[in-house]
C-alpha cells in the first residue's frame, strides 16, 4: 500500500549520472582514507587485556579513567558492562610487558579510587593471532555475503540487475568503512556485525525496487526504461521512507541509551541505512539501466506468448 500518493513519477533517472559521479568520489575518498589512515581497530582485532570488575556501589567512570591515565594507561577504555556497578576495562597490548602483569596493575589502580575493594569477575587476554584470525574471518564473511547475493539476484532477475545490486552493496560497505576511517571511531566486532546487517537491509530495499520494476514493465508497455524505473521507484518511495524512518528511530534510541558497548553498532547502522536507502534508489537501478536492462531481460517468456497469441492479418 502506498502511504503517499504521487500524481506524477519523480524523475530519479535524470540524476543518475550526477549521483554516480558523486558516489564514485565518495568511494574513492573512502578507499584513500582506508589505505592511508586505516581503521581504528578495537581489541577484538588487535588483541589486549579485558578486565571485568564489580564495584560495591555505582562506579564513577571519570575517576577510574583519571586514575588509569595517571598510572600510564591513558588509552584504557572504561565503560559500564550490564549495570552501573559492573565495569569493563580494555587495554591495548604493550610491547615487552606481560598481559597478566598489566591486569594486576589495573586492579591496583582501580582499588585506589574504589571505596571498597572491587571484585574481579574476569580477566581475558586476547592474543594478536586471534585478532588476525577475526579480521580474516570478517573479510570472508562480507565476501561470502556479496557472492551469495550476486548469485541470488542473477537467478531471480537478470545479470544486469545482479551487478547493480552488488555495486550498490559495495558502495554502502566501502563508504561506511570510510566513515569509520575518517572519524577514527573504533571498529570492533559489533561494528562488523552492523556492516553485515547493513548488507541484508540494503539488499532487501533493492529487491523491493527490482520487483516493482518488473511489475511496472508489465503495466507500462509503451514507456521507456527510464520512465518505467522512475515509476517503480516512486511507487516504493513511501515504503522505503517509512521503513528507514522507523528503523532509524530504534537505532537513535540505542545510540543515546544503549551504552558504549553498542555505540559503534548503532552508528554504523544509522549511517549505513541513510547510504543504503540512497544507493537502492540511485546506484542499483541506475547501474542496471546503464548496462542496458530492458523489458525483454525480465520477461522473455511473456513477450513470446504475446507474440504467439497475436492474430495475423
Amino acid at each position: 500500500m502506498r502511504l503517499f500518493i504521487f500524481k506524477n513519477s519523480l524523475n530519479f533517472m535524470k540524476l543518475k549520472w550526477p549521483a554516480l559521479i558523486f558516489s564514485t568520489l565518495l568511494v574513492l575518498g573512502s578507499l584513500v582514507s582506508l589505505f592511508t589512515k586505516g581503521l581504528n581497530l578495537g581489541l577484538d582485532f588487535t588483541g589486549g587485556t579485558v578486565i571485568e570488575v564489580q564495584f560495591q556501589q555505582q562506579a564513577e567512570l571519570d575517576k577510574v579513567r583519571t586514575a588509569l591515565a595517571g598510572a600510564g594507561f591513558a588509552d584504557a577504555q572504561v565503560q559500564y558492562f550490564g549495570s552501573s556497578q559492573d565495569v569493563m576495562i580494555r587495554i591495548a597490548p604493550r610491547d615487552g610487558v606481560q598481559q597478566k602483569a598489566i591486569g594486576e596493575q589495573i586492579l591496583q589502580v582501580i582499588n585506589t579510587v574504589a571505596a571498597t575493594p572491587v571484585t574481579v569477575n574476569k580477566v581475558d587476554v586476547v592474543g594478536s593471532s586471534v585478532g588476525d584470525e577475526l579480521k580474516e574471518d570478517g573479510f570472508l564473511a562480507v565476501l561470502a555475503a556479496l557472492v551469495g547475493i550476486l548469485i541470488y539476484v542473477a537467478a531471480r532477475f537478470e545479470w544486469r540487475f545482479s551487478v547493480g545490486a552488488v555495486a550498490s552493496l559495495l558502495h554502502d560497505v566501502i563508504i561506511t568503512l570510510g566513515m569509520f576511517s575518517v572519524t577514527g571511531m573504533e571498529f570492533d566486532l559489533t561494528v562488523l556485525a552492523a556492516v553485515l546487517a547493513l548488507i541484508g537491509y540494503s539488499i532487501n530495499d533493492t529487491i523491493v525496487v527490482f520487483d516493482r520494476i518488473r511489475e511496472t514493465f508489465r503495466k507500462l508497455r509503451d514507456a521507456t526504461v527510464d520512465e518505467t524505473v522512475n515509476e517503480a521507484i516512486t511507487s516504493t518511495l513511501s515504503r522505503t521512507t517509512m521503513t528507514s524512518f522507523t528503523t532509524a528511530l530504534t537505532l537513535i534510541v540505542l545510540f543515546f541509551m544503549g551504552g558504549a558497548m553498542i555505540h559503534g553498532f548503532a552508528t554504523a547502522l544509522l549511517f549505513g541505512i541513510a547510504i543504503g536507502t540512497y544507493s537502492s534508489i540511485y546506484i542499483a537501478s541506475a547501474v542496471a539501466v546503464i548496462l542496458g536492462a530492458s523489458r525483454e531481460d525480465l520477461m522473455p517468456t511473456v513477450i513470446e506468448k504475446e507474440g504467439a497469441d497475436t492474430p495475423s492479418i
Side-chain angles (χ1 to χ4, degrees), residues 62-75:
D62 290 337
K63 288 185 177 180
V64 175
R65 293 190 183 101
T66 302
L68 289 174
F73 298 101
D75 60 340

Side-chain angles (χ1 to χ4, degrees), residues 173-191:
V173 170
I174 292 173
I175 293 179
T176 301
L177 293 179
M179 184 272 292
F180 273 83
S181 176
V182 170
T183 60
M185 294 180 61
E186 182 178 313
F187 187 91
D188 54 19
L189 281 179
T190 60
V191 178

Side-chain angles (χ1 to χ4, degrees), residues 40-43 46 49 51 65 68 73-79 87-92 186 188:
N40 179 22
L41 298 176
L43 295 183
T46 62
T49 304
I51 306 169
R65 293 190 183 101
L68 289 174
F73 298 101
D75 60 340
Q77 301 176 17
V78 184
Q79 59 197 46
V87 176
M88 175 188 291
I89 300 99
R90 301 197 290 179
I91 304 293
E186 182 178 313
D188 54 19

Side-chain angles (χ1 to χ4, degrees), residues 223-278:
T224 64
V225 173
D226 279 8
E227 291 172 343
T228 301
V229 173
N230 287 333
E231 171 60 24
I233 296 176
T234 302
S235 65
T236 59
L237 190 59
S238 60
R239 177 262 176 203
T240 300
T241 303
M242 293 304 298
T243 302
S244 299
F245 176 71
T246 52
T247 306
L249 285 180
T250 304
L251 291 171
I252 289 172
V253 173
L254 289 177
F255 181 86
F256 289 105
M257 304 182 65
M261 288 294 294
I262 58 174
H263 187 267
F265 177 87
T267 302
L269 276 182
L270 271 173
F271 181 81
I273 284 176
I275 290 293
T277 302
Y278 159 79

Side-chain angles (χ1 to χ4, degrees), residues 178-218:
M179 184 272 292
F180 273 83
S181 176
V182 170
T183 60
M185 294 180 61
E186 182 178 313
F187 187 91
D188 54 19
L189 281 179
T190 60
V191 178
L192 177 60
V195 172
L196 292 172
L198 170 62
I199 291 176
Y201 181 93
S202 183
I203 192 60
N204 179 65
D205 265 356
T206 301
I207 293 299
V208 169
V209 173
F210 285 176
D211 266 332
R212 188 57 59 90
I213 289 175
R214 180 161 53 187
E215 293 174 5
T216 309
F217 267 135
R218 296 170 181 169

